[in-house]
Each structure stands twice: as structure tokens, then as C-alpha cells.
Amino acid sequence: MDKKLIALLACPVCKGELKLDRDRNELICYQDAMAFPIRDGIPVMLASEARTLTTDERLDKH
Ligand SMILES: [Zn+2]
């Protein structure tokens, strides 16, 4: 995914910074412990579509 595109994206919940997880193809907000899916290269920035991070994932900050 384009890094510039990611820089434009903010968490829809807290408007904070998102981290790209290339392995899972998700955008992660550690503040809310939510992961937003990227489908067909398009980030789905909906809280209703987001997954809650596991405790391990929350601790795994890069
Ligand atoms: Zn957030």
C-alpha cells in the first residue's frame, strides 16, 4: 500500500495515528486496540468492521 495514503488515514474513533500490519493486511490503532481490515487494497475505516486486538497484539508495538 502507498505510504502517503496511509499517512492520510486516521483512526475514525480517536483520529489518531494508524500502523500498517502488512502480514495481516490491517491498519491498527493501538490507542483503541482496534484493527481495521484492508480489503482489495482499500482500508475499511469503520468501527463496526474493526477487530479488537488481543492482549498480545496490544503489547506488540513496533
Ligand atoms: Zn483510534
Side-chain angles (χ1 to χ4, degrees), residues 3-61:
K3 277 196 171 175
K4 285 176 189 164
L5 179 59
I6 292 166
L8 292 173
L9 294 172
C11 171
V13 180
C14 69
K15 311 296 181 197
E17 187 187 346
L18 295 168
K19 296 260 189 269
L20 173 65
D21 186 328
R22 291 181 189 279
D23 294 332
R24 288 182 175 276
N25 221 26
E26 290 174 337
L27 287 165
I28 294 172
C29 175
Y30 283 108
Q31 205 156 315
D32 297 316
M34 290 168 85
F36 300 90
I38 301 170
R39 294 187 186 134
D40 299 326
I42 300 166
V44 182
M45 306 312 296
L46 298 170
S48 59
E49 296 291 317
R51 172 177 80 76
T52 305
L53 297 183
T54 64
T55 305
D56 281 352
E57 286 173 322
R58 294 182 73 156
L59 296 173
D60 185 29
K61 297 191 181 188

